[in-house]
Amino acid sequence: MESSGKVTSINGKKIKVMMFKESSCAHCSGCGEASKLTREIELEYNPHKQKIEIGDIVTFELADSKMLKIGFLVYVLPIIMMMVGFIISNMMGNRERESVLFSFGTLAVTFLLIHLYDRFVVKEKVNMDITKIEKDNKEFDIDSCEVKKD
């Protein structure tokens, strides 16, 4: 997955980037309702290899394999665990209604465990690699996160 944005600040080996609104993520609510158009993220870079200044446009990429792992963890694993919960409850001799309730309980516990895993076990957030750096020669409207055209 490739995205781009404008560098807003530099702090040592970390830069903050205000992301451009991409058509592929326009439907996603991952940025929250308050920041529907933009999202500021923090990226690491090597100042010895890459010369980045405030105002530069950077393109960064998340490896497809990492994206697939995240997608599996968030979307597929909970459904699998819900089905496993139903099957285990059914094998224990519970009625269908009890098995369904047990499967939803398993789903809730799975989401809780994913949340705890993300919060306490994953020490390092997903790193994105900076693939391209451009000097900003366009004016950028930070409110709408779009490049202004002359």
Side-chain angles (χ1 to χ4, degrees):
M1 182 177 95
E2 190 174 89
S3 297
S4 59
K6 186 171 186 173
V7 177
T8 58
S9 69
I10 300 173
N11 186 8
K13 291 184 175 185
K14 294 186 179 197
I15 60 172
K16 286 192 179 181
V17 176
M18 185 67 70
M19 291 176 58
F20 293 129
K21 182 179 178 183
E22 303 284 339
S23 62
S24 61
C25 68
H27 68 280
C28 177
S29 63
C31 298
E33 291 298 321
S35 58
K36 200 70 166 159
L37 296 177
T38 65
R39 180 178 180 194
E40 189 172 60
I41 62 169
E42 191 171 79
L43 300 173
E44 286 190 19
Y45 82 106
N46 186 343
H48 302 292
K49 289 183 179 180
Q50 300 167 317
K51 302 293 182 210
I52 297 177
E53 297 174 0
I54 293 176
D56 288 351
I57 306 294
V58 294
T59 302
F60 46 94
E61 180 177 18
L62 178 63
D64 290 338
S65 61
K66 289 181 183 177
M67 192 68 178
L68 286 173
K69 288 177 187 176
I70 292 168
F72 177 80
L73 183 69
V74 173
Y75 295 112
V76 178
L77 183 64
I79 293 171
I80 291 172
M81 294 308 294
M82 187 177 182
M83 289 188 296
V84 166
F86 180 84
I87 292 169
I88 289 173
S89 179
N90 207 16
M91 290 174 68
M92 291 171 47
N94 293 331
R95 294 183 306 204
E96 186 174 344
R97 185 172 79 173
E98 294 164 342
S99 295
V100 168
L101 290 174
F102 187 81
S103 69
F104 277 104
T106 306
L107 178 68
V109 168
T110 302
F111 278 125
L112 176 66
L113 291 174
I114 290 171
H115 173 73
L116 294 173
Y117 173 76
D118 182 51
R119 186 152 198 185
F120 298 111
V121 176
V122 180
K123 301 286 184 210
E124 179 180 311
K125 296 295 179 192
V126 175
N127 286 332
M128 297 187 205
D129 300 322
I130 297 174
T131 57
K132 187 166 80 172
I133 303 166
E134 300 175 26
K135 296 299 175 192
D136 184 22
N137 55 7
K138 301 172 199 139
E139 198 173 326
F140 177 70
D141 183 5
I142 204 146
D143 293 327
S144 66
C145 204
E146 294 176 353
V147 176
K148 292 181 181 176
K149 297 183 179 165
D150 296 332

